[in-house]
């Protein structure tokens, strides 16, 4: 029998806009997954990824299983402390409000080029949010096409 944690798989593509206060309504399908985590009195982790120009949202279990082992694998203590500072400088613990919204840090979002319109993509363990691009036609290169073909055959 699958545990509740195993059921937290995020998928799908959505387009949304930030409201005037910088809040983002999480799409219902993804929100229901995050609400499962919050119902266990857990926060969600909102990470502003400068490396990928995106905001990433993880439930507690996703964060602990995906991110924390990478920190723990750094053997040098001083380097681990530096990397934790770097990581958590760009990470916020949040709870969705009653309408299923998160508050986006305007200063960090601006660094990522996120102002109003966003693309929201379920990424298995978490959710990725990027600036909406007018030319985002979702064309696949050969490598992406072959990967999808190998998974779904």
């Amino acid at each position: 029998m699958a545990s509740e944690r195993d059921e937290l798989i995020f998928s799908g593509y959505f387009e949304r806009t930030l409201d005037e206060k910088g809040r983002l309504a999480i799409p219902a399908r993804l929100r229901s997954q995050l609400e499962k985590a919050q119902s266990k009195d857990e926060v969600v982790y909102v990470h502003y990824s400068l490396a990928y120009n995106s905001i990433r949202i993880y439930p507690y279990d996703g964060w602990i299983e995906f991110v924390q082992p990478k920190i723990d694998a750094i053997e040098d203590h001083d380097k681990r402390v530096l990397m934790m500072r770097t990581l958590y400088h760009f990470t916020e613990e949040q709870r969705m409000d009653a309408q299923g919204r998160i508050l986006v840090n305007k200063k960090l979002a601006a660094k990522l080029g996120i102002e109003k319109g966003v693309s929201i993509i379920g990424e298995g363990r978490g959710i990725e949010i990027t600036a909406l691009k007018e030319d985002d036609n979702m064309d696949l290169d050969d490598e992406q096409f072959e990967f999808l073909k190998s998974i779904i055959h």
Side-chain angles (χ1 to χ4, degrees), residues 38-61:
Q38 285 193 177
S39 70
K40 297 187 296 184
D41 270 341
E42 295 174 354
V43 296
V44 295
Y45 290 85
V46 180
H47 176 70
Y48 296 83
S49 175
L50 300 178
Y52 294 102
N53 285 332
S54 67
I55 300 170
R56 300 199 175 203
I57 302 173
Y58 297 96
Y60 175 81
D61 286 345

Side-chain angles (χ1 to χ4, degrees), residues 6-74:
D6 294 336
E7 296 171 12
L8 292 177
I9 301 295
F10 299 92
S11 63
Y13 173 83
F14 311 87
E15 295 179 0
R16 297 290 189 271
T17 56
L18 300 176
D19 71 12
E20 66 283 346
K21 294 181 180 179
R23 296 173 299 195
L24 175 63
I26 303 299
R29 188 171 0 141
L30 301 176
R31 184 173 61 239
S32 68
Q33 297 290 68
L34 291 175
E35 286 170 343
K36 287 180 186 178
Q38 285 193 177
S39 70
K40 297 187 296 184
D41 270 341
E42 295 174 354
V43 296
V44 295
Y45 290 85
V46 180
H47 176 70
Y48 296 83
S49 175
L50 300 178
Y52 294 102
N53 285 332
S54 67
I55 300 170
R56 300 199 175 203
I57 302 173
Y58 297 96
Y60 175 81
D61 286 345
W63 183 264
I64 292 301
E65 290 176 12
F66 182 60
V67 177
Q68 194 61 46
K70 294 176 181 179
I71 293 294
D72 294 342
I74 301 171

